[in-house]
Amino acid sequence: MPPERRSRTRPDRRAGARLDRKSRKKPDRRAAAGPGGPPRKAAPSSQRKPPARPSAAAAAIAVAAEEERRLRQRNRLALEEDKPAVERCLEELVFGDVEDDEDVLLRRLQGSRVQAQEDSDDSEAEKEPKDNFLFQKKPVWVDEEDEDDEMVDMMNNRFRKDMMKNTGESQLSKDKLQKRLKEEFQHAMGGVPAWAETNKQKTSLDDESEEDEDDLLQRTGNFISTSTSLPKGILKIKNCQHANAERPTTARISSVQFHPRAQVVMVAALDNAVSLFQVDGRTNPKIQSIYLEKFPIYKACFSANGEEVLATSIHSKVLYVYDMLAGKLIPVHQVRGLKEKLVRSFEVSPDGSFLLINGVAGYLHLLSMKTKELIGSMKINGRVAASTFSSDSKKVYASSGDGEVYVWDVNSRKCLNRFVDEGSLYGLSIATSRNGQYVACGSNCGVVNIYNQDSCLQETNPKPVKAIMNLVTGVTSLTFNPTTEILAIASEEMKEAVRLVHLPSCTVFSNFPVIKKKTISLVHTMDFSPRSGYFALGNEKGKALLYRLHHYSDF
């Protein structure tokens, strides 16, 4: 209600009102309930029975009701005169004729409510909602040229030509073409897909799926998970602080190896020291250093359970065993039955049961890891260049100086197979993968052949899966990572001669090493952490380089 109307006082009912502009008056539809009582609705005139003899009280009631009706009519007309024309027009559109009294308007609204209830009862049987308010407008005119343009040529389109059922369908209307496309789609899909059904009722499964979608949209984060397999091409790698930064040395690093169970790395060098460092990628604090007098270390290695450290020297036949739990250094001066003047190269079996020592004149000596006693020896033709255990510790692979590889059974110590390393004149290194799938052989010409282990056990001239020719000097180091997704190859005869090979694509990662920086130098040893999170290199400058592989989240 406008402000000016609210401030205006209501006219007095007892005062004389102005005459109505319209002389037409409707008869009274209300009768008083009694003196001072509220009015009640009277029956329609068609149903009202006139009294035979109206009494004086009834006449007084009728006069009072007529007077009240006249006062209400005058008041309404007085208010109507002050209303704007727009407001009066709007009231007529919404409520009907303004001359209708309240009873007529009330009956009209009740009748529409009853009609709406009847329509809703009819719609329940149809199971489809109907809109009684929206209607489709008819076009004002229809252009014949538009109807001609609706025809689609079927002959000049090779996709539409296949949908023609006969030669007479050279042209189709758009509606028929749409129906034909729907038929083709349903024929290809074997029916109407569930997502295309408009009248499909929701089931409990649909409700559960909607609840899952609601739960999905109620949280934020990265919904795209990374792939579990390592992608080829570019390796996400970061250069960390040197592993032996807290104990620097200028002597050549002969061995670098990660502890199998703890976040610890071991660094051994020709300066007679074996050092242990805690790996954190930032400072790598030193844990302990073991000094072996007059014992330049040729190789140092953890036992399979990580409780011992084994070390050999370049000019001694003594094997040192350091017990990490007891903190004792135990020298093994002589092994009964072992007639070797020098003990240098050795391998520890993955299950921790055996120790394999590479001897001279083609001999391989198998020792018990627990007692350090000789179990048996195996001999190959030529010189033993390198050896390794299979992933199950049941076989030994030995690379000879004449380009052949021997496969031995550990329990019977019999030769299972001997095959020729393709293109190799002189073998230098050999390695097997943790999953038992690959065997990698490095030669003096810089070629690394990758074989399937099954072919190495059955064929005398197996074909390699891939020959890696990215190095030009002798391959002296080969190492698979624990997940068998990376093969590290290196040569100690040329600076920066190290590559990381992606498996199973057998392609080299292009971003390692960074040749411009020239920080790697000559690589003599390398190793991966137990879960491939770190990669370490040892060079001739006494630095144990440490790298973080971001694809792997754990150590």
Side-chain angles (χ1 to χ4, degrees), residues 368-397:
S368 172
M369 189 65 186
K370 185 177 181 180
T371 62
K372 308 299 186 295
E373 293 181 354
L374 181 65
I375 298 175
S377 298
M378 298 162 282
K379 188 180 186 307
I380 65 173
N381 297 334
R383 189 182 67 88
V384 178
S387 63
T388 186
F389 282 93
S390 62
S391 58
D392 56 2
S393 302
K394 294 182 179 180
K395 292 177 285 292
V396 171
Y397 291 84

PDB file of all heavy atoms in Angstrom, residues 368-397:
ATOM      1  N   SER A 368      78.822 -70.484   2.597  1.00  0.00           N
ATOM      2  CA  SER A 368      77.651 -70.282   3.444  1.00  0.00           C
ATOM      3  C   SER A 368      77.750 -68.903   4.081  1.00  0.00           C
ATOM      4  O   SER A 368      78.771 -68.541   4.670  1.00  0.00           O
ATOM      5  CB  SER A 368      77.572 -71.356   4.530  1.00  0.00           C
ATOM      6  OG  SER A 368      76.557 -71.048   5.455  1.00  0.00           O
ATOM      7  N   MET A 369      76.682 -68.152   3.979  1.00  0.00           N
ATOM      8  CA  MET A 369      76.691 -66.799   4.538  1.00  0.00           C
ATOM      9  C   MET A 369      76.715 -66.836   6.063  1.00  0.00           C
ATOM     10  O   MET A 369      77.267 -65.936   6.697  1.00  0.00           O
ATOM     11  CB  MET A 369      75.462 -66.035   4.038  1.00  0.00           C
ATOM     12  CG  MET A 369      75.474 -64.565   4.379  1.00  0.00           C
ATOM     13  SD  MET A 369      76.813 -63.688   3.561  1.00  0.00           S
ATOM     14  CE  MET A 369      76.628 -62.079   4.330  1.00  0.00           C
ATOM     15  N   LYS A 370      76.173 -67.868   6.642  1.00  0.00           N
ATOM     16  CA  LYS A 370      76.087 -67.947   8.089  1.00  0.00           C
ATOM     17  C   LYS A 370      77.419 -68.337   8.718  1.00  0.00           C
ATOM     18  O   LYS A 370      77.872 -67.698   9.687  1.00  0.00           O
ATOM     19  CB  LYS A 370      75.000 -68.942   8.487  1.00  0.00           C
ATOM     20  CG  LYS A 370      74.748 -69.015   9.978  1.00  0.00           C
ATOM     21  CD  LYS A 370      73.600 -69.961  10.278  1.00  0.00           C
ATOM     22  CE  LYS A 370      73.324 -70.008  11.770  1.00  0.00           C
ATOM     23  NZ  LYS A 370      72.210 -70.935  12.107  1.00  0.00           N
ATOM     24  N   THR A 371      78.060 -69.355   8.164  1.00  0.00           N
ATOM     25  CA  THR A 371      79.304 -69.873   8.765  1.00  0.00           C
ATOM     26  C   THR A 371      80.559 -69.421   8.051  1.00  0.00           C
ATOM     27  O   THR A 371      81.664 -69.628   8.564  1.00  0.00           O
ATOM     28  CB  THR A 371      79.257 -71.403   8.787  1.00  0.00           C
ATOM     29  OG1 THR A 371      79.174 -71.893   7.435  1.00  0.00           O
ATOM     30  CG2 THR A 371      78.046 -71.900   9.569  1.00  0.00           C
ATOM     31  N   LYS A 372      80.413 -68.827   6.880  1.00  0.00           N
ATOM     32  CA  LYS A 372      81.549 -68.401   6.047  1.00  0.00           C
ATOM     33  C   LYS A 372      82.443 -69.601   5.684  1.00  0.00           C
ATOM     34  O   LYS A 372      83.663 -69.458   5.567  1.00  0.00           O
ATOM     35  CB  LYS A 372      82.381 -67.325   6.757  1.00  0.00           C
ATOM     36  CG  LYS A 372      81.562 -66.142   7.280  1.00  0.00           C
ATOM     37  CD  LYS A 372      80.844 -65.391   6.194  1.00  0.00           C
ATOM     38  CE  LYS A 372      80.160 -64.147   6.719  1.00  0.00           C
ATOM     39  NZ  LYS A 372      79.070 -64.406   7.663  1.00  0.00           N
ATOM     40  N   GLU A 373      81.852 -70.763   5.492  1.00  0.00           N
ATOM     41  CA  GLU A 373      82.585 -71.969   5.087  1.00  0.00           C
ATOM     42  C   GLU A 373      82.271 -72.296   3.641  1.00  0.00           C
ATOM     43  O   GLU A 373      81.193 -71.990   3.130  1.00  0.00           O
ATOM     44  CB  GLU A 373      82.214 -73.156   5.981  1.00  0.00           C
ATOM     45  CG  GLU A 373      82.668 -73.003   7.427  1.00  0.00           C
ATOM     46  CD  GLU A 373      82.299 -74.201   8.265  1.00  0.00           C
ATOM     47  OE1 GLU A 373      81.588 -75.099   7.729  1.00  0.00           O
ATOM     48  OE2 GLU A 373      82.688 -74.267   9.441  1.00  0.00           O
ATOM     49  N   LEU A 374      83.218 -72.958   2.991  1.00  0.00           N
ATOM     50  CA  LEU A 374      83.090 -73.280   1.578  1.00  0.00           C
ATOM     51  C   LEU A 374      82.085 -74.415   1.376  1.00  0.00           C
ATOM     52  O   LEU A 374      82.172 -75.454   2.018  1.00  0.00           O
ATOM     53  CB  LEU A 374      84.459 -73.670   1.007  1.00  0.00           C
ATOM     54  CG  LEU A 374      84.496 -74.017  -0.485  1.00  0.00           C
ATOM     55  CD1 LEU A 374      84.148 -72.796  -1.333  1.00  0.00           C
ATOM     56  CD2 LEU A 374      85.885 -74.553  -0.875  1.00  0.00           C
ATOM     57  N   ILE A 375      81.158 -74.220   0.462  1.00  0.00           N
ATOM     58  CA  ILE A 375      80.181 -75.254   0.113  1.00  0.00           C
ATOM     59  C   ILE A 375      80.628 -76.020  -1.124  1.00  0.00           C
ATOM     60  O   ILE A 375      80.568 -77.249  -1.179  1.00  0.00           O
ATOM     61  CB  ILE A 375      78.787 -74.628  -0.111  1.00  0.00           C
ATOM     62  CG1 ILE A 375      78.282 -73.970   1.173  1.00  0.00           C
ATOM     63  CG2 ILE A 375      77.798 -75.676  -0.602  1.00  0.00           C
ATOM     64  CD1 ILE A 375      76.981 -73.231   1.009  1.00  0.00           C
ATOM     65  N   GLY A 376      81.089 -75.299  -2.114  1.00  0.00           N
ATOM     66  CA  GLY A 376      81.530 -75.929  -3.357  1.00  0.00           C
ATOM     67  C   GLY A 376      82.055 -74.890  -4.315  1.00  0.00           C
ATOM     68  O   GLY A 376      81.944 -73.673  -4.092  1.00  0.00           O
ATOM     69  N   SER A 377      82.657 -75.368  -5.402  1.00  0.00           N
ATOM     70  CA  SER A 377      83.244 -74.477  -6.409  1.00  0.00           C
ATOM     71  C   SER A 377      82.727 -74.869  -7.783  1.00  0.00           C
ATOM     72  O   SER A 377      82.398 -76.033  -8.037  1.00  0.00           O
ATOM     73  CB  SER A 377      84.771 -74.536  -6.379  1.00  0.00           C
ATOM     74  OG  SER A 377      85.262 -74.106  -5.122  1.00  0.00           O
ATOM     75  N   MET A 378      82.693 -73.904  -8.687  1.00  0.00           N
ATOM     76  CA  MET A 378      82.276 -74.096 -10.078  1.00  0.00           C
ATOM     77  C   MET A 378      83.329 -73.444 -10.964  1.00  0.00           C
ATOM     78  O   MET A 378      83.909 -72.425 -10.603  1.00  0.00           O
ATOM     79  CB  MET A 378      80.900 -73.451 -10.316  1.00  0.00           C
ATOM     80  CG  MET A 378      79.785 -74.054  -9.477  1.00  0.00           C
ATOM     81  SD  MET A 378      78.320 -73.005  -9.370  1.00  0.00           S
ATOM     82  CE  MET A 378      78.866 -71.787  -8.163  1.00  0.00           C
ATOM     83  N   LYS A 379      83.544 -74.026 -12.143  1.00  0.00           N
ATOM     84  CA  LYS A 379      84.586 -73.522 -13.036  1.00  0.00           C
ATOM     85  C   LYS A 379      84.028 -73.310 -14.428  1.00  0.00           C
ATOM     86  O   LYS A 379      83.275 -74.139 -14.939  1.00  0.00           O
ATOM     87  CB  LYS A 379      85.764 -74.490 -13.090  1.00  0.00           C
ATOM     88  CG  LYS A 379      86.972 -73.944 -13.846  1.00  0.00           C
ATOM     89  CD  LYS A 379      88.096 -74.927 -13.860  1.00  0.00           C
ATOM     90  CE  LYS A 379      89.345 -74.317 -14.495  1.00  0.00           C
ATOM     91  NZ  LYS A 379      89.118 -73.742 -15.834  1.00  0.00           N
ATOM     92  N   ILE A 380      84.436 -72.183 -15.032  1.00  0.00           N
ATOM     93  CA  ILE A 380      84.049 -71.864 -16.402  1.00  0.00           C
ATOM     94  C   ILE A 380      85.308 -71.752 -17.243  1.00  0.00           C
ATOM     95  O   ILE A 380      86.437 -71.678 -16.715  1.00  0.00           O
ATOM     96  CB  ILE A 380      83.243 -70.543 -16.474  1.00  0.00           C
ATOM     97  CG1 ILE A 380      84.127 -69.351 -16.062  1.00  0.00           C
ATOM     98  CG2 ILE A 380      82.003 -70.618 -15.589  1.00  0.00           C
ATOM     99  CD1 ILE A 380      83.457 -67.998 -16.259  1.00  0.00           C
ATOM    100  N   ASN A 381      85.116 -71.753 -18.540  1.00  0.00           N
ATOM    101  CA  ASN A 381      86.244 -71.567 -19.447  1.00  0.00           C
ATOM    102  C   ASN A 381      86.631 -70.090 -19.479  1.00  0.00           C
ATOM    103  O   ASN A 381      85.785 -69.209 -19.579  1.00  0.00           O
ATOM    104  CB  ASN A 381      85.887 -72.036 -20.854  1.00  0.00           C
ATOM    105  CG  ASN A 381      85.590 -73.516 -20.897  1.00  0.00           C
ATOM    106  OD1 ASN A 381      86.087 -74.288 -20.059  1.00  0.00           O
ATOM    107  ND2 ASN A 381      84.782 -73.939 -21.864  1.00  0.00           N
ATOM    108  N   GLY A 382      87.906 -69.822 -19.385  1.00  0.00           N
ATOM    109  CA  GLY A 382      88.364 -68.442 -19.405  1.00  0.00           C
ATOM    110  C   GLY A 382      88.332 -67.813 -18.028  1.00  0.00           C
ATOM    111  O   GLY A 382      88.287 -68.481 -16.988  1.00  0.00           O
ATOM    112  N   ARG A 383      88.330 -66.503 -18.017  1.00  0.00           N
ATOM    113  CA  ARG A 383      88.380 -65.739 -16.776  1.00  0.00           C
ATOM    114  C   ARG A 383      86.986 -65.285 -16.391  1.00  0.00           C
ATOM    115  O   ARG A 383      86.142 -64.972 -17.251  1.00  0.00           O
ATOM    116  CB  ARG A 383      89.277 -64.521 -16.969  1.00  0.00           C
ATOM    117  CG  ARG A 383      89.581 -63.746 -15.693  1.00  0.00           C
ATOM    118  CD  ARG A 383      90.439 -62.539 -16.003  1.00  0.00           C
ATOM    119  NE  ARG A 383      89.709 -61.566 -16.792  1.00  0.00           N
ATOM    120  CZ  ARG A 383      88.939 -60.598 -16.273  1.00  0.00           C
ATOM    121  NH1 ARG A 383      88.779 -60.512 -14.969  1.00  0.00           N
ATOM    122  NH2 ARG A 383      88.328 -59.749 -17.068  1.00  0.00           N
ATOM    123  N   VAL A 384      86.709 -65.254 -15.076  1.00  0.00           N
ATOM    124  CA  VAL A 384      85.411 -64.754 -14.584  1.00  0.00           C
ATOM    125  C   VAL A 384      85.454 -63.229 -14.579  1.00  0.00           C
ATOM    126  O   VAL A 384      86.234 -62.621 -13.828  1.00  0.00           O
ATOM    127  CB  VAL A 384      85.116 -65.296 -13.176  1.00  0.00           C
ATOM    128  CG1 VAL A 384      83.796 -64.724 -12.678  1.00  0.00           C
ATOM    129  CG2 VAL A 384      85.093 -66.813 -13.172  1.00  0.00           C
ATOM    130  N   ALA A 385      84.634 -62.619 -15.444  1.00  0.00           N
ATOM    131  CA  ALA A 385      84.583 -61.161 -15.506  1.00  0.00           C
ATOM    132  C   ALA A 385      83.606 -60.593 -14.488  1.00  0.00           C
ATOM    133  O   ALA A 385      83.888 -59.580 -13.839  1.00  0.00           O
ATOM    134  CB  ALA A 385      84.200 -60.717 -16.918  1.00  0.00           C
ATOM    135  N   ALA A 386      82.445 -61.232 -14.354  1.00  0.00           N
ATOM    136  CA  ALA A 386      81.420 -60.752 -13.421  1.00  0.00           C
ATOM    137  C   ALA A 386      80.443 -61.888 -13.159  1.00  0.00           C
ATOM    138  O   ALA A 386      80.334 -62.833 -13.949  1.00  0.00           O
ATOM    139  CB  ALA A 386      80.688 -59.535 -13.983  1.00  0.00           C
ATOM    140  N   SER A 387      79.762 -61.802 -12.041  1.00  0.00           N
ATOM    141  CA  SER A 387      78.779 -62.831 -11.674  1.00  0.00           C
ATOM    142  C   SER A 387      77.661 -62.191 -10.866  1.00  0.00           C
ATOM    143  O   SER A 387      77.825 -61.110 -10.287  1.00  0.00           O
ATOM    144  CB  SER A 387      79.435 -63.953 -10.869  1.00  0.00           C
ATOM    145  OG  SER A 387      79.938 -63.446  -9.642  1.00  0.00           O
ATOM    146  N   THR A 388      76.528 -62.894 -10.836  1.00  0.00           N
ATOM    147  CA  THR A 388      75.380 -62.418 -10.063  1.00  0.00           C
ATOM    148  C   THR A 388      74.439 -63.577  -9.810  1.00  0.00           C
ATOM    149  O   THR A 388      74.458 -64.588 -10.515  1.00  0.00           O
ATOM    150  CB  THR A 388      74.652 -61.287 -10.811  1.00  0.00           C
ATOM    151  OG1 THR A 388      73.624 -60.762  -9.967  1.00  0.00           O
ATOM    152  CG2 THR A 388      74.042 -61.787 -12.105  1.00  0.00           C
ATOM    153  N   PHE A 389      73.581 -63.419  -8.791  1.00  0.00           N
ATOM    154  CA  PHE A 389      72.547 -64.401  -8.477  1.00  0.00           C
ATOM    155  C   PHE A 389      71.254 -64.031  -9.209  1.00  0.00           C
ATOM    156  O   PHE A 389      71.011 -62.863  -9.535  1.00  0.00           O
ATOM    157  CB  PHE A 389      72.279 -64.434  -6.968  1.00  0.00           C
ATOM    158  CG  PHE A 389      73.298 -65.187  -6.174  1.00  0.00           C
ATOM    159  CD1 PHE A 389      74.382 -64.536  -5.612  1.00  0.00           C
ATOM    160  CD2 PHE A 389      73.182 -66.561  -5.987  1.00  0.00           C
ATOM    161  CE1 PHE A 389      75.320 -65.219  -4.865  1.00  0.00           C
ATOM    162  CE2 PHE A 389      74.120 -67.251  -5.236  1.00  0.00           C
ATOM    163  CZ  PHE A 389      75.202 -66.588  -4.681  1.00  0.00           C
ATOM    164  N   SER A 390      70.427 -65.029  -9.429  1.00  0.00           N
ATOM    165  CA  SER A 390      69.070 -64.766  -9.905  1.00  0.00           C
ATOM    166  C   SER A 390      68.233 -64.232  -8.746  1.00  0.00           C
ATOM    167  O   SER A 390      68.635 -64.283  -7.582  1.00  0.00           O
ATOM    168  CB  SER A 390      68.449 -66.038 -10.486  1.00  0.00           C
ATOM    169  OG  SER A 390      68.354 -67.037  -9.486  1.00  0.00           O
ATOM    170  N   SER A 391      67.055 -63.722  -9.071  1.00  0.00           N
ATOM    171  CA  SER A 391      66.222 -63.113  -8.032  1.00  0.00           C
ATOM    172  C   SER A 391      65.744 -64.110  -6.995  1.00  0.00           C
ATOM    173  O   SER A 391      65.482 -63.735  -5.847  1.00  0.00           O
ATOM    174  CB  SER A 391      65.007 -62.426  -8.682  1.00  0.00           C
ATOM    175  OG  SER A 391      64.252 -63.369  -9.438  1.00  0.00           O
ATOM    176  N   ASP A 392      65.640 -65.385  -7.358  1.00  0.00           N
ATOM    177  CA  ASP A 392      65.215 -66.406  -6.398  1.00  0.00           C
ATOM    178  C   ASP A 392      66.381 -67.111  -5.722  1.00  0.00           C
ATOM    179  O   ASP A 392      66.170 -68.074  -4.962  1.00  0.00           O
ATOM    180  CB  ASP A 392      64.320 -67.434  -7.089  1.00  0.00           C
ATOM    181  CG  ASP A 392      64.996 -68.082  -8.289  1.00  0.00           C
ATOM    182  OD1 ASP A 392      66.174 -67.765  -8.564  1.00  0.00           O
ATOM    183  OD2 ASP A 392      64.338 -68.899  -8.956  1.00  0.00           O
ATOM    184  N   SER A 393      67.618 -66.703  -5.999  1.00  0.00           N
ATOM    185  CA  SER A 393      68.845 -67.255  -5.390  1.00  0.00           C
ATOM    186  C   SER A 393      69.082 -68.725  -5.745  1.00  0.00           C
ATOM    187  O   SER A 393      69.868 -69.394  -5.088  1.00  0.00           O
ATOM    188  CB  SER A 393      68.813 -67.105  -3.859  1.00  0.00           C
ATOM    189  OG  SER A 393      68.663 -65.766  -3.486  1.00  0.00           O
ATOM    190  N   LYS A 394      68.455 -69.213  -6.797  1.00  0.00           N
ATOM    191  CA  LYS A 394      68.619 -70.614  -7.180  1.00  0.00           C
ATOM    192  C   LYS A 394      69.590 -70.803  -8.336  1.00  0.00           C
ATOM    193  O   LYS A 394      70.010 -71.928  -8.611  1.00  0.00           O
ATOM    194  CB  LYS A 394      67.265 -71.216  -7.564  1.00  0.00           C
ATOM    195  CG  LYS A 394      66.294 -71.307  -6.408  1.00  0.00           C
ATOM    196  CD  LYS A 394      64.990 -71.950  -6.838  1.00  0.00           C
ATOM    197  CE  LYS A 394      64.018 -72.053  -5.669  1.00  0.00           C
ATOM    198  NZ  LYS A 394      62.730 -72.683  -6.073  1.00  0.00           N
ATOM    199  N   LYS A 395      69.961 -69.722  -8.993  1.00  0.00           N
ATOM    200  CA  LYS A 395      70.853 -69.806 -10.135  1.00  0.00           C
ATOM    201  C   LYS A 395      71.925 -68.722 -10.040  1.00  0.00           C
ATOM    202  O   LYS A 395      71.696 -67.677  -9.429  1.00  0.00           O
ATOM    203  CB  LYS A 395      70.083 -69.675 -11.453  1.00  0.00           C
ATOM    204  CG  LYS A 395      69.160 -70.851 -11.761  1.00  0.00           C
ATOM    205  CD  LYS A 395      68.378 -70.647 -13.015  1.00  0.00           C
ATOM    206  CE  LYS A 395      67.259 -69.657 -12.809  1.00  0.00           C
ATOM    207  NZ  LYS A 395      66.211 -70.151 -11.918  1.00  0.00           N
ATOM    208  N   VAL A 396      73.058 -69.015 -10.683  1.00  0.00           N
ATOM    209  CA  VAL A 396      74.172 -68.077 -10.755  1.00  0.00           C
ATOM    210  C   VAL A 396      74.489 -67.824 -12.222  1.00  0.00           C
ATOM    211  O   VAL A 396      74.633 -68.773 -13.011  1.00  0.00           O
ATOM    212  CB  VAL A 396      75.414 -68.628 -10.029  1.00  0.00           C
ATOM    213  CG1 VAL A 396      76.629 -67.746 -10.295  1.00  0.00           C
ATOM    214  CG2 VAL A 396      75.156 -68.714  -8.522  1.00  0.00           C
ATOM    215  N   TYR A 397      74.600 -66.532 -12.580  1.00  0.00           N
ATOM    216  CA  TYR A 397      74.990 -66.127 -13.933  1.00  0.00           C
ATOM    217  C   TYR A 397      76.419 -65.605 -13.861  1.00  0.00           C
ATOM    218  O   TYR A 397      76.727 -64.712 -13.058  1.00  0.00           O
ATOM    219  CB  TYR A 397      74.070 -65.036 -14.462  1.00  0.00           C
ATOM    220  CG  TYR A 397      72.654 -65.497 -14.754  1.00  0.00           C
ATOM    221  CD1 TYR A 397      71.706 -65.563 -13.734  1.00  0.00           C
ATOM    222  CD2 TYR A 397      72.276 -65.855 -16.041  1.00  0.00           C
ATOM    223  CE1 TYR A 397      70.421 -65.981 -13.988  1.00  0.00           C
ATOM    224  CE2 TYR A 397      70.982 -66.269 -16.305  1.00  0.00           C
ATOM    225  CZ  TYR A 397      70.058 -66.335 -15.274  1.00  0.00           C
ATOM    226  OH  TYR A 397      68.774 -66.753 -15.537  1.00  0.00           O
TER     227      TYR A 397
END
